[in-house]
Amino acid sequence: MLNARPQASKDGSDKAAPNVIDSLDDSTPLARELASENKRREKLAGRSLPRPDETRVFTVSNQKGGVGKTTTTVNIAAALAGAGLNVLVVDIDPQGNASTALGVEHHAEVTSIYDVLINDVPMSEVVSPSADIPSLLCAPATIHLAGAEIELVSLVAREQRLRRALDVYAKDRDKSGQERLDYIFVDCPPSLGLLTVNAFVAAGEVLIPIQCEYYALEGLSQLLKNIEMIQKHLNADLVVSTILLTMYDGRTNLAAQVASEVREHFPEQVLGAVVPRSVRISEAPSYQQTVMTYDPSSSGALSYLEAATEIAERKTP
């Protein structure tokens, strides 16, 4: 174990041994990275996030799986809630990973978003607070959602059911004297079925996480076509407001090329914040936490805090 006390030199003087951290200079990659992170933290320190004029509803969607969709949903939601804002995560992915990350029970016996969509159960009976951040609520998903696509087909106003449930929930909160929600994030499955359509109809904004890999842009054009179809027939107010680059590996030229190409095509939508590949981000869900509470000092938590700050400070489309 390292001894932090000053050590006497060989000549018997009390001159302290040099500190390893002090010996690092800007010419080393580690020192440059540490200096950059410190500057980014200083920029965010003490900054309070503004409340939006009305509830902002985001659908977090990408038809390609494994791009960090759920991770982005829960961590941006946690960052905003940690800043004192009222946030709800609606988990409509049958896998229920967002529910897991927020520490909310979602086994088969739990009343869930399935019951809201299929059985008209009020949202107020379903939402639960996150284990770590009281102002972060979650409407959990259960395995029953796997069959919801088929069950929705025969229901009246099948594309509008989530939107109506959220409207009723907002009125219920107002009647009971609760503060209105500032943000709602809907975590979608990686497909364009009726669950995802419900999310698009309920939202005003789309947040698209894009992995900094070769195949990232292949499915994006199809996703945008599907969003245009929703805009034309079901929700004219829907806009793609935010794109977040995830799983960025600064050691590869490919990641930089993908990031550059996305920024070139979507200069207004792409956030300045970029989420790196991070072991801490991957580990957090196994402890039923977001990285914001699991390791708030990590580079991944810092990146999601930057992304949340950008979203909060941007003007609503």
Side-chain angles (χ1 to χ4, degrees):
M1 188 172 70
L2 290 175
N3 190 341
R5 296 188 314 178
Q7 300 294 313
S9 60
K10 289 183 179 179
D11 61 5
S13 67
D14 291 332
K15 187 176 179 182
N19 189 305
V20 175
I21 299 297
D22 293 338
S23 68
L24 292 172
D25 58 47
D26 287 344
S27 64
T28 66
L30 175 60
R32 285 196 297 270
E33 185 177 343
L34 290 173
S36 173
E37 284 193 11
N38 283 334
K39 287 178 182 176
R40 289 160 61 197
R41 285 196 176 89
E42 288 171 6
K43 189 176 178 182
L44 294 172
R47 183 183 296 190
S48 59
L49 301 185
R51 291 192 71 189
D53 295 331
E54 57 186 19
T55 303
R56 294 177 68 182
V57 184
F58 284 84
T59 285
V60 185
S61 180
N62 192 324
Q63 287 164 257
K64 185 178 184 303
V67 298
K69 196 165 56 273
T70 297
T71 302
T72 293
T73 301
V74 297
N75 283 299
I76 288 182
L80 292 167
L85 300 173
N86 298 310
V87 185
L88 168 65
V89 170
V90 179
D91 188 358
I92 61 168
D93 187 340
Q95 296 178 84
N97 292 335
S99 307
T100 299
L102 297 177
V104 174
E105 287 190 1
H106 60 103
H107 51 78
E109 290 75 30
V110 169
T111 307
S112 71
I113 196 67
Y114 167 85
D115 300 286
V116 173
L117 296 174
I118 305 300
N119 301 321
D120 294 319
V121 172
M123 186 80 75
S124 55
E125 296 183 16
V126 170
V127 298
S128 298
S130 164
D132 299 301
I133 307 173
S135 64
L136 176 54
L137 304 174
C138 176
T142 59
I143 193 61
H144 298 306
L145 272 179
E149 298 276 4
I150 298 171
E151 294 178 74
L152 280 167
V153 171
S154 61
L155 297 181
V156 175
R158 59 192 183 189
E159 299 95 350
Q160 309 279 345
R161 297 183 74 82
L162 179 58
R163 182 177 202 162
R164 292 182 179 183
L166 290 173
D167 288 342
V168 171
Y169 180 53
K171 291 173 183 174
D172 288 344
R173 286 180 66 93
D174 187 48
K175 286 179 184 177
S176 62
Q178 294 176 281
E179 288 187 336
R180 70 163 168 81
L181 292 170
D182 297 304
Y183 290 89
I184 298 173
F185 292 91
V186 186
D187 185 37
C188 299
S191 63
L192 190 74
L194 278 171
L195 289 174
T196 303
V197 169
N198 262 270
F200 282 137
V201 172
E205 302 178 55
V206 182
L207 191 167
I208 305 176
I210 295 182
Q211 183 183 10
C212 294
E213 298 287 353
Y214 177 73
Y215 294 115
L217 299 175
E218 284 201 342
L220 184 58
S221 59
Q222 184 59 48
L223 174 61
L224 293 175
K225 287 178 183 176
N226 291 333
I227 291 171
E228 286 177 14
M229 182 179 66
I230 299 292
Q231 291 167 329
K232 184 176 180 181
H233 298 287
L234 295 168
N235 184 2
D237 297 325
L238 186 66
V239 295
V240 178
S241 66
T242 311
I243 293 175
L244 177 64
L245 298 168
T246 63
M247 303 182 186
Y248 183 83
D249 188 345
R251 298 169 298 178
T252 67
N253 290 330
L254 177 61
Q257 289 170 3
V258 170
S260 176
E261 190 169 344
V262 174
R263 290 188 189 282
E264 183 180 341
H265 283 85
F266 306 97
E268 300 297 321
Q269 291 89 351
V270 181
L271 296 177
V274 175
V275 179
R277 285 194 176 276
S278 166
V279 173
R280 292 304 195 192
I281 291 175
S282 302
E283 286 177 345
S286 65
Y287 293 88
Q288 297 193 341
Q289 293 185 56
T290 66
V291 75
M292 306 307 297
T293 55
Y294 175 66
D295 189 355
S297 64
S298 65
S299 61
L302 175 60
S303 295
Y304 274 118
L305 182 57
E306 287 176 327
T309 301
E310 275 190 77
I311 289 171
E313 293 183 345
R314 280 184 169 189
K315 290 183 179 180
T316 308

